[in-house]
Amino acid sequence: MEPINNELKKMMDSQFQARYDEMQREILENRGVQKFLAENDQVANREMVERGLGKLYEYVNQQHDCSQCESVATCKNAIKAINGFVPKLTVIRGQIDVEYVPCQTKRMEDARRKAASMISSMHMPKDVLKAKISDLDTSNESKKAIRTFAELFIQKVRNTGNLPRTGYYIYGNFGVGKSFVLGAIANELATMEIKTVMVYVPDFLSELKSSIQDQSLQEKVEFVKKAPVLMLDDLGAENLSQWTRDEIIGTILQYRMNEGLPVFITSNFNYEQLENHFATTQKGEVDVIKAARIMERIKSLTTDFEMIGENRRLYQAD
């Protein structure tokens, strides 16, 4: 009869081998691992996979669903030192290795910080930081139509890889959700690595006036007018001057019209009311011709939608 220690050793060896085989199977059935091996089938062989099993295990173990993270600060990474980063398999000198690259949430946050460092009036309300098209309200026909067109816009970008030339002009009363729509579109575009600059117009124009003294005016105007996607939130709420209308708003819209770059706009005014707003400056100067030119650009860049609904801010305040 064999000593009991030998029997125990055989049992432990058998259990270890079974667990090892199970772990190896789970690793090799992982979709990310399978995709990596398929993409590297010219160099990846059995020996490389066996040697790299530890790295493959690390890759599988460090994966998580970024959509569950509200921000980098609440990242679900088991190792906090790599918050905001996700594992990526690579081949280095014939060996399987893992590198950590910024996740989608971190890329979005970094892009916003970079834009905010240039334009302090960059505007993304907290309630829309993670908004998606699927979150948009469809409680009435006006909101259903806006969501449908937003879905079509995003679908066109996904299918073609190109941005449509025409954005949306959404108008309606205070607090009906206009900014939320822009935020949702911006977030969907961010998942495709398309940068959106969203500014709150009254603050943006005030900031530009202050920028004349520190000589950063032109740099900021260039940054905004050349953004892949521009969103002007609350146009018409600004204190209008001839300079802001003609040299800033007019210049930005003219450039984007010439270059075929989309613009999204929210306002409390419809087209006709906004034209009246642009016709008279705060000093009482009236110029209907220049107002009409501004509106011609806006109409060529946007499709208008009225958003009807209750003021959600009143309920939030309660």
Side-chain angles (χ1 to χ4, degrees):
M1 179 180 293
E2 292 188 66
I4 188 64
N5 287 343
N6 289 346
E7 290 295 327
L8 289 173
K9 184 176 183 302
K10 288 180 181 179
M11 185 183 300
M12 291 175 65
D13 288 346
S14 175
Q15 291 175 345
F16 175 80
Q17 186 62 46
R19 177 57 191 141
Y20 178 84
D21 292 341
E22 175 67 14
M23 183 181 71
Q24 187 179 47
R25 182 184 65 78
E26 290 175 357
I27 291 172
L28 295 179
E29 287 181 354
N30 179 272
R31 289 186 179 180
V33 171
Q34 290 182 348
K35 184 172 182 281
F36 167 75
L37 295 176
E39 291 172 347
N40 293 274
D41 62 341
Q42 297 298 314
V43 294
N45 52 40
R46 182 170 182 173
E47 181 183 357
M48 179 190 289
V49 172
E50 289 179 349
R51 288 200 312 268
L53 199 61
K55 291 295 184 181
L56 294 175
Y57 175 79
E58 177 186 347
Y59 168 79
V60 173
N61 193 50
Q62 290 300 324
Q63 283 184 314
H64 67 278
D65 183 3
C66 279
S67 66
Q68 301 302 311
C69 304
E70 294 183 0
S71 65
V72 170
T74 59
C75 181
K76 306 299 183 185
N77 266 331
I79 303 174
K80 295 304 179 184
I82 55 173
N83 275 7
F85 290 84
V86 290
K88 178 184 177 183
L89 290 169
T90 185
V91 176
I92 299 177
R93 294 187 291 275
Q95 301 288 330
I96 294 175
D97 205 347
V98 177
E99 62 180 10
Y100 288 85
V101 298
C103 67
Q104 177 181 305
T105 300
K106 180 172 173 55
R107 292 196 300 272
M108 289 171 63
E109 287 187 12
D110 288 347
R112 287 185 185 126
R113 274 194 293 270
K114 182 178 180 181
S117 68
M118 176 66 68
I119 305 293
S120 63
S121 51
M122 278 286 297
H123 174 61
M124 181 69 79
K126 289 183 179 180
D127 65 331
V128 302
L129 284 174
K130 300 290 285 186
K132 298 178 181 178
I133 299 296
S134 57
D135 297 329
L136 296 183
D137 188 1
T138 56
S139 59
N140 60 49
E141 292 303 316
S142 71
K143 292 184 176 182
K144 285 180 183 178
I146 290 170
R147 173 167 165 171
T148 297
F149 276 84
E151 289 172 337
L152 288 173
F153 184 92
I154 295 298
Q155 195 59 49
K156 285 179 182 178
V157 179
R158 291 193 192 282
N159 291 343
T160 67
N162 298 317
L163 286 164
R165 297 172 63 95
T166 304
Y168 306 140
Y169 181 93
I170 304 174
Y171 67 94
N173 292 331
F174 296 102
V176 294
K178 302 185 296 294
S179 300
F180 192 89
V181 174
L182 297 195
I185 294 173
N187 288 334
E188 297 283 357
L189 291 172
T191 66
M192 295 179 274
E193 307 292 332
I194 297 173
K195 183 174 71 174
T196 297
V197 171
M198 183 174 177
V199 296
Y200 180 60
V201 174
D203 287 353
F204 172 60
L205 295 178
S206 295
E207 180 181 346
L208 291 185
K209 290 178 183 177
S210 301
S211 300
I212 296 174
Q213 295 179 344
D214 62 22
Q215 299 182 336
S216 63
L217 171 64
Q218 192 58 38
E219 184 181 16
K220 290 180 177 181
V221 172
E222 291 292 311
F223 179 82
V224 169
K225 80 178 187 181
K226 294 181 178 179
V229 178
L230 176 61
M231 295 183 171
L232 301 175
D233 193 27
D234 218 359
L235 184 63
E238 70 282 347
N239 291 320
L240 189 72
S241 70
Q242 187 176 14
W243 177 75
T244 55
R245 181 192 62 199
D246 302 338
E247 302 302 323
I248 304 301
I249 297 173
T251 298
I252 289 172
L253 294 175
Q254 183 65 45
Y255 178 88
R256 299 190 71 81
M257 187 174 68
N258 292 342
E259 298 298 320
L261 296 173
V263 177
F264 291 81
I265 299 172
T266 69
S267 180
N268 296 130
F269 297 146
N270 61 27
Y271 278 161
E272 183 179 355
Q273 292 167 330
L274 186 66
E275 184 167 350
N276 291 334
H277 167 74
F278 283 138
T280 307
T281 70
Q282 64 188 73
K283 292 183 178 181
E285 302 160 325
V286 178
D287 196 325
V288 294
I289 301 300
K290 288 185 177 178
R293 287 175 181 168
I294 292 284
M295 290 309 304
E296 180 184 355
R297 295 165 192 167
I298 289 176
K299 290 176 181 178
S300 71
L301 285 164
T302 61
T303 299
D304 65 319
F305 294 94
E306 181 180 13
M307 179 176 278
I308 300 170
E310 296 180 327
N311 187 339
R312 300 189 307 169
R313 297 172 192 166
L314 294 178
Y315 296 102
Q316 290 171 355
D318 293 339

